[in-house]
Amino acid sequence: MKETKVSIFQRPAWVAGLALTAAILWGWAYPLIKLGFGEFRIAPDMTGSKMLFAGIRFCISGLIILTVARATNRRFAVSKGRDWWYVLLFSLLNTTFHYAFFYFGLSHSDGARAAILNSMGVFTVVIFACMFFKSDRMTVRKAVGCVMGFLGILALNLGGKDSGQFTWLGDGMIILNALCSAFASLMTRGLGRRVDVFVGTGYSLALGGALLILPALLMGGTLPNVTIVGLLILLMLIGISTIGFTLYNKLLTCNPVGKVAIFNSLIPVIGAVSSCLCLSEPFYWKYVIAGALATAGIYIINKGK
């Protein structure tokens, strides 16, 4: 009998390695965004400029992916005309709303705190995937892992004023960003049925980025201080989006959603450490507790029977 060839995107070792690569890249985005704001002199109250910064990043990233897709003869057609509405909704959740909330929240919160709080979306994906997909059954192990993860989120708000308090402009926006990311992850499998997932990722980033740029310009958004260092930071963020989203979305179409999404629990650990190293932010003791609980959650969900 002839053996069926298994894609590398379905082999356990490759799935783990590629998912970890995406998580590491996204973890480093936290300090880079704040460094970018500083280099371009984008103040916390410059809403239009933040949206412009984000829009340029994602629009260029999407155009790069589409250019590569064209060069490799990927199929650009969407299955049915009405499926463009699905692509548009995915673009809004995956890019426009997701990162509008993310950039606003990050500018009003410590990078390390935002990184850990954003992990809420990971456990939300696991729970929702069990509700909507037969391939993602809820088990005692998954339930315990999710509880551990949510306890990590709650641990963020332990301590007094010196360790940071919940704010709607900071923490509230990061939570909305996490929910947008969760719903977009669930929609990725449907995207793969309507268009080549590589092309769909390019569409979502380019279109979602453009939908950030247009209102940003109408609001008078600018990049006040363009420097070589600032452009290098922007290029690094474009690279993170291009590689991270391409790998993550492909993995989601080939594997149970919860199995892939849970690797993003490592993002808070990477984001917290990189933010403290790059931004000289204080590392509160509760970050250790939150990070440990999130790591325990990913271990419990992924460990064998």
Side-chain angles (χ1 to χ4, degrees):
M1 183 180 282
K2 209 172 184 180
E3 289 186 12
T4 304
K5 191 175 180 182
V6 180
S7 165
I8 64 170
F9 293 103
Q10 293 176 303
R11 296 175 187 173
W14 280 94
V15 171
L18 295 175
L20 283 171
T21 299
I24 290 170
L25 289 171
W26 281 329
W28 274 95
Y30 287 87
L32 286 175
I33 289 169
K34 299 203 84 171
L35 287 172
F37 283 171
E39 193 64 32
F40 283 104
R41 293 182 185 169
I42 299 174
D45 60 344
M46 297 172 67
T47 304
S49 294
K50 290 178 194 172
M51 293 177 67
L52 180 63
F53 183 83
I56 291 172
R57 171 191 171 187
F58 296 115
C59 191
I60 293 177
S61 176
L63 292 175
I64 290 172
I65 293 174
L66 292 174
T67 301
V68 173
R70 177 64 70 187
T72 53
N73 298 315
R74 296 273 183 168
R75 184 173 178 274
F76 272 66
V78 176
S79 298
K80 298 176 182 177
R82 64 175 179 271
D83 286 339
W84 274 107
W85 289 106
Y86 190 96
V87 174
L88 176 60
L89 179 59
F90 181 78
S91 301
L92 289 171
L93 288 176
N94 190 58
T95 306
T96 308
F97 295 151
H98 177 187
Y99 283 98
F101 291 139
F102 178 77
Y103 275 66
F104 292 146
L106 191 60
S107 65
H108 292 89
S109 176
D110 283 348
R113 181 183 178 86
I116 298 173
L117 189 62
N118 192 39
S119 68
M120 186 189 78
V122 177
F123 301 99
T124 304
V125 170
V126 175
I127 294 171
F128 285 175
C130 294
M131 295 169 60
F132 295 111
F133 301 121
K134 291 181 179 179
S135 59
D136 288 80
R137 289 190 307 108
M138 177 58 74
T139 62
V140 173
R141 193 170 66 249
K142 283 185 179 180
V144 172
C146 288
V147 169
M148 294 291 285
F150 279 118
L151 287 175
I153 305 305
L154 294 176
L156 271 181
N157 291 298
L158 295 175
K161 292 182 179 180
D162 61 332
S163 61
Q165 292 290 307
F166 179 90
T167 62
W168 285 110
L169 283 178
D171 299 344
M173 293 297 102
I174 294 295
I175 289 173
L176 289 175
N177 148 72
L179 291 175
C180 285
S181 175
F183 283 112
S185 293
L186 296 177
M187 292 180 67
T188 302
R189 188 169 294 178
L191 180 74
R193 290 196 294 266
R194 291 166 170 82
V195 66
D196 179 281
V197 69
F198 193 75
V199 174
T201 300
Y203 281 152
S204 73
L205 291 173
L207 182 58
L211 291 174
L212 282 169
I213 291 174
L214 291 176
L217 294 175
L218 292 174
M219 295 168 67
T222 61
L223 300 180
N225 182 52
V226 179
T227 65
I228 297 297
V229 175
L231 291 175
L232 287 175
I233 292 172
L234 183 57
L235 284 174
M236 284 190 282
L237 287 168
I238 290 170
I240 285 172
S241 297
T242 304
I243 299 170
F245 275 107
T246 300
L247 292 177
Y248 184 68
N249 287 351
K250 179 62 177 177
L251 289 171
L252 285 178
T253 62
C254 300
N255 301 276
V257 174
K259 180 180 178 181
V260 177
I262 198 61
F263 278 93
N264 286 351
S265 295
L266 294 174
I267 293 176
V269 179
I270 299 160
V273 173
S274 59
S275 291
C276 293
L277 289 174
C278 297
L279 306 176
S280 299
E281 292 182 352
F283 193 94
Y284 300 118
W285 62 269
K286 63 182 178 180
Y287 291 164
V288 177
I289 296 176
L293 288 169
T295 303
I298 188 174
Y299 172 74
I300 291 170
I301 290 175
N302 282 282
K303 78 183 184 73
K305 294 181 181 178

